[in-house]
Amino acid sequence: SAVISQKPSRDICQRGTSLTIQCQVDSQVTMMFWYRQQPGQSLTLIATANQGSEATYESGFVIDKFPISRPNLTFSTLTVSNMSPEDSSIYLCSVNDGSYEQYFGPGTRLTVT
Amino acid sequence: SQQGEEDPQALSIQEGENATMNCSYKTSINNLQWYRQNSGRGLVHLILIRSNEREKHSGRLRVTLDTSKKSSSLLITASRAADTASYFCATVSGNTGKLIFGQGTTLQVKP
């Protein structure tokens, strides 16, 4: 199994600013993903974070809004840029260690005012 | 994008009763997984069932999968107040590892 930590756990941000969320895994993993969970909703995949190359974004998500870095096999960041109240969500990173099972971080609760 | 529907959206039962949640999906899958989420926190993996399996058990959990109907069910037997949470099904297609989630069922177990 993999243990995942995220920073910050929560934040309140002003409209128009940006926030970078960090995801740290205790072991090297091949696949890392970023999800968004809007209030009262299910999870939606934002992108796959690829080590050493550009992230692969899902339909409806773009790099300018959600730039992602993955410098190595244990760490990734997601930036939420030029925030608006509609970006208020829980953002979760997850990893797949090569088995079918996927592990999730505790999430970052973002509120944009 | 969401994979499909879960029903019911909300379920309220008494402690000791069984809870059944259903999940439908749209595309061919590699496997289907069930997760639990307590009060908007991180997700906990409950059980995984592969596309060539029809039923799987883990403790008080029983999962079935019907690929011809593109549906799955999660049964929690002898429920406890601590089972109160949101439950999500998620499917994996191909080798991407990407999870596509259903809408979720909110379960409340009354003591």
Side-chain angles (χ1 to χ4, degrees), chain B residues 24-90:
Chain B
S24 63
Y25 56 92
K26 299 175 182 175
T27 63
S28 298
I29 62 170
N30 187 312
N31 64 77
L32 184 145
Q33 305 178 31
W34 286 90
Y35 289 83
R36 183 184 74 222
Q37 185 179 42
N38 292 82
S39 300
R41 297 178 185 174
L43 272 72
V44 174
H45 183 269
L46 295 177
I47 197 166
L48 178 152
I49 186 165
R50 291 179 171 78
S51 60
N52 62 353
E53 296 176 313
R54 292 296 167 258
E55 187 171 313
K56 204 160 184 180
H57 297 254
S58 176
R60 293 184 296 113
L61 305 180
R62 172 177 168 252
V63 169
T64 62
L65 178 65
D66 187 335
T67 53
S68 66
K69 295 181 180 178
K70 292 187 168 54
S71 66
S72 173
S73 68
L74 171 67
L75 168 67
I76 304 174
T77 61
S79 63
R80 305 166 182 168
D83 294 328
T84 295
S86 293
Y87 292 82
F88 296 93
C89 69

Side-chain angles (χ1 to χ4, degrees), chain A residues 5-71:
Chain A
S5 60
Q6 283 186 235
K7 290 182 182 178
S9 59
R10 59 177 62 222
D11 207 342
I12 300 173
C13 300
Q14 298 268 355
R15 168 197 307 260
T17 62
S18 298
L19 175 72
T20 295
I21 302 168
Q22 299 180 6
C23 177
Q24 179 74 54
V25 190
D26 68 343
S27 59
Q28 293 187 343
V29 291
T30 52
M31 299 180 187
M32 292 182 77
F33 306 92
W34 286 97
Y35 290 84
R36 180 177 74 181
Q37 186 176 27
Q38 295 176 299
Q41 303 296 314
S42 183
L43 282 79
T44 301
L45 179 63
I46 298 172
T48 302
N50 301 308
Q51 192 264 329
S53 64
E54 195 170 283
T56 304
Y57 290 84
E58 297 299 307
S59 176
F61 297 95
V62 295
I63 187 171
D64 290 345
K65 176 67 176 176
F66 297 101
I68 289 170
S69 78
R70 189 173 175 195

